[in-house]
Amino acid sequence: MNNTSKHVPECDVTAALDCARRIAAGFAKKGMVSDNAPGYYIETFGCQQNEADSERLAGLAELMGYRKSAPEDASLILVNTCAIREHAEKKAFSIIGEFKHIREKNPALIIGVGGCMVTQRHRADKFKMSYPYVSFTFDTGSIHLVPSLVEKAMKKRGRSFVITEDYKIAEGLPTVRREGGAAWLSIMYGCNNFCTYCIVPYVRGRERSRRPEDIIAEAKALIADGAKEITLLGQNVNSYGRDLEEDVNIASLIRMICALEGDFRIRFMTSHPKDASDELLRVVATEDKVVKHFHLPVQSGSTEVLRRMNRRYSAEHYMGIIDRLKEMCPDISLTTDIIVGFPGETDEDFEATLEMLRRVEYDMIFSFIYSPRIGTPAAEMEDQVPPEVSGERFKRLLALQDEICEKRNARFLGRRVKVLVEGVSKSDDGMLTGRGDMARPVHFKGTPDMIGKFVELEIVSVGAYSMEGEICLP
Ligand code: 5AD
Ligand code: SF4
């Protein structure tokens, strides 16, 4: 492998792959292959980064000789957890509790828990003390260790609770991609920003960028494999390349990928407003292969709250980016993340967030009630907002955004849009779901052979939350 960026911290995955193959050979010896192979099941919580990690966990499970199955039929269950809010942690505890019953029926079942939640010492300890049927936990930097943890569990050599705090990049792990033509491509890992509410920097380590040549090689392989959409992933993709020796940034990386042959498109997430360069905005506006959608988390419309969140931009700076983006690309779809009820948030601060929504007119927002995370500075701040106040504000935020969504979606009525057909609609299995430049998916009647391909739709109805289309005949 070309080693131009000497300081890219890489793990040695050779031992992991050897161990996985050793496990597979053991199954093969017992005739446990093909339909007879032991089952694996993976439950994933949280963000796209976790979904991408779970694709690598699936890749490792299949290399170990397991085949995908329902949890009841599995010999290996892996739970990839999220720690961003209390709710996500509760859900993980609850599902792991349910897996206990499967383990009672099948004592040979191996249950492993990984991800952000168990990268926190107090959570790993909880599994150690109170969940005896969990064989091992592993931190976000230790996915490549899973085969050795499985092997140890098979040989009944004791339970393991791994927190290495040795965050490196694991190149070359096998991957089982999701269906539907859209693929995740992690371009960097970790976060350096330490927003005061956020647990991520404590559970995913500092920023590490993958080498551009590794990313391009993966993008080429994905396209050759039929991928129609590639989403570049990282906690803050706008700082991509800062730790590399090469002169590369997110804008030049996207340009390099756009230059690859093929009918595909590119998305990227997540962006941090303090690092969103005009060069990146220009790339979005001018490159045909880049989807005209920008996800730019604002978190709050109040500069004072942003200061206490350690976001390092003001509401005015944020609006400046939005204005430039709209000027360069008038039809851009904008989405954001908002936290309601951050400690010390006053009625005035909250009004400023509502005003931000009115001014920007997002196509969609992802809004969250602030959830204190142990170990983060905001959890220690005075003036925690009472739940009833946060709840009331949250409702007002959603009501305002509903009106804005309806208005924004209306602009698509009667338009022809090219969408990538992602699969069968989750709410109506007689319909398919496709995604175009707009933030919202479009539902339409089609045939399963369309999944994973681009189709042209005419938008025939829109609501605040949904859009329907009809296939345009050529
Ligand atoms: N409470 C509520 N929301 C949070 N987020 C991150 N940490 C917290 C927290 N402690 C939200 C932010 C971030 C999104 C992924 O999750 O809005 O952008
Ligand atoms: Fe968390 Fe802020 Fe990093 Fe995003 S940029 S992962 S919100 S610390």
Side-chain angles (χ1 to χ4, degrees):
M1 193 176 285
N2 184 343
N3 198 9
T4 44
S5 325
K6 285 185 227 47
H7 55 275
V8 171
E10 261 189 48
C11 345
D12 179 8
V13 300
T14 321
L17 301 182
D18 286 349
C19 179
R21 291 191 189 103
R22 203 160 53 234
I23 295 170
F27 288 140
K29 243 186 185 169
K30 295 182 199 154
M32 296 167 75
V33 289
S34 314
D35 286 353
N36 223 0
Y40 79 90
Y41 176 79
I42 299 177
E43 183 78 43
T44 306
F45 294 96
C47 64
Q48 291 82 2
Q49 192 68 63
N50 257 21
E51 290 189 20
D53 286 348
S54 285
E55 291 184 345
R56 284 185 274 269
L57 288 171
L60 283 170
E62 298 202 357
L63 194 66
M64 285 186 270
Y66 293 90
R67 82 189 144 76
K68 200 170 171 184
S69 76
E72 303 76 44
D73 303 321
S75 300
L76 173 66
I77 293 182
L78 298 172
V79 184
N80 196 0
T81 61
C82 169
I84 201 99
R85 282 171 291 276
E86 193 187 356
H87 182 62
E89 294 199 314
K90 276 194 176 150
K91 279 202 305 200
F93 276 130
S94 144
I95 196 142
I96 295 163
E98 284 174 31
F99 292 149
K100 181 183 177 188
H101 306 300
I102 305 178
R103 165 78 186 241
E104 277 162 2
K105 285 189 202 136
N106 172 16
L109 168 65
I110 295 172
I111 301 178
V113 183
C116 294
M117 180 172 161
V118 288
T119 302
Q120 307 167 96
R121 174 63 61 198
H122 65 282
R123 292 302 189 207
D125 284 348
K126 176 146 183 173
F127 281 105
K128 186 174 178 180
M129 306 308 290
S130 314
Y131 290 72
Y133 53 93
V134 168
S135 307
F136 58 84
T137 66
F138 56 101
D139 64 290
T140 56
S142 297
I143 286 177
H144 61 295
L145 297 182
V146 166
S148 63
L149 294 167
V150 169
E151 192 174 51
K152 187 174 163 195
M154 281 174 153
K155 292 183 175 168
K156 303 206 176 350
R157 293 210 183 121
R159 303 164 71 216
S160 316
F161 301 89
V162 180
I163 301 183
T164 57
E165 291 185 3
D166 183 22
Y167 299 101
K168 290 183 179 163
I169 294 180
E171 287 293 350
L173 290 182
T175 309
V176 175
R177 306 271 178 189
R178 62 187 164 141
E179 287 165 356
W184 308 121
L185 203 175
S186 299
I187 61 166
M188 61 190 298
Y189 303 93
C191 181
N192 288 357
N193 291 313
F194 290 93
C195 301
T196 52
Y197 51 81
C198 187
I199 196 70
V200 168
Y202 306 89
V203 292
R204 285 199 174 264
R206 296 295 71 72
E207 287 174 359
R208 290 128 18 234
S209 301
R210 290 179 68 198
R211 290 188 197 93
E213 56 269 33
D214 289 337
I215 296 170
I216 301 291
E218 189 170 339
K220 271 189 189 162
L222 286 171
I223 297 160
D225 216 30
K228 296 284 178 233
E229 178 178 297
I230 296 177
T231 302
L232 308 180
L233 289 182
Q235 248 72 45
N236 172 17
V237 292
N238 296 171
S239 57
Y240 171 76
R242 284 196 190 150
D243 53 331
L244 296 176
E245 279 175 7
E246 301 77 339
D247 186 16
V248 59
N249 59 32
I250 181 68
S252 58
L253 179 75
I254 293 176
R255 277 208 196 90
M256 283 188 262
I257 301 175
C258 287
L260 299 175
E261 291 272 315
D263 184 19
F264 66 94
R265 62 190 193 189
I266 300 173
R267 296 178 184 270
F268 59 92
M269 67 189 316
T270 290
S271 289
H272 194 304
K274 79 176 165 55
D275 301 313
S277 66
D278 280 0
E279 195 190 352
L280 175 62
L281 309 190
R282 254 191 310 278
V283 163
V284 175
T286 57
E287 288 286 349
D288 287 344
K289 284 180 176 159
V290 178
V291 173
K292 305 302 167 220
H293 167 208
F294 210 109
H295 180 64
L296 195 61
V298 65
Q299 313 297 359
S300 168
S302 151
T303 296
E304 173 52 22
V305 172
L306 291 171
R307 188 187 64 73
R308 278 183 287 116
M309 287 177 164
N310 192 30
R311 291 290 288 178
R312 286 174 279 171
Y313 56 83
S314 62
E316 290 68 37
H317 175 84
Y318 182 90
M319 254 339 277
I321 302 172
I322 297 290
D323 288 343
R324 285 199 297 286
L325 197 48
K326 284 183 175 173
E327 208 177 289
M328 288 184 210
C329 190
D331 200 32
I332 189 95
S333 284
L334 294 164
T335 56
T336 199
D337 293 347
I338 305 269
I339 296 180
V340 174
F342 183 79
E345 182 189 71
T346 61
D347 283 341
E348 231 179 0
D349 292 324
F350 177 65
E351 287 300 330
T353 299
L354 296 181
E355 191 48 32
M356 177 70 82
L357 259 55
R358 287 186 201 104
R359 284 178 67 191
V360 178
E361 297 199 315
Y362 295 103
D363 285 71
M364 195 156 85
I365 63 168
F366 300 88
S367 45
F368 313 100
I369 292 182
Y370 168 70
S371 169
R373 306 284 68 212
I374 295 173
T376 60
E380 306 297 321
M381 287 180 186
E382 288 174 4
D383 297 332
Q384 298 282 326
V385 176
E388 53 291 0
V389 175
S390 304
E392 189 54 39
R393 287 180 187 163
F394 191 66
K395 274 194 217 146
R396 285 180 59 200
L397 185 86
L398 295 186
L400 171 62
Q401 185 57 31
D402 278 0
E403 287 170 26
I404 297 172
C405 280
E406 221 166 311
K407 178 173 166 202
R408 289 295 292 165
N409 286 348
R411 78 191 195 279
F412 288 109
L413 196 63
R415 260 201 221 176
R416 276 182 162 226
V417 292
K418 182 178 164 185
V419 302
L420 173 63
V421 185
E422 292 187 337
V424 176
S425 159
K426 282 182 192 140
S427 50
D428 177 353
D429 58 14
M431 303 284 270
L432 296 177
T433 296
R435 282 229 291 167
D437 278 355
M438 63 283 272
R440 276 198 196 277
V442 189
H443 304 289
F444 67 101
K445 277 207 163 60
T447 48
D449 58 298
M450 293 173 175
I451 295 172
K453 296 184 186 141
F454 287 120
V455 297
E456 285 253 321
L457 298 178
E458 183 181 327
I459 304 298
V460 293
S461 85
V462 294
Y465 299 110
S466 63
M467 275 192 223
E468 276 192 26
E470 278 174 8
I471 293 175
C472 301
L473 297 173

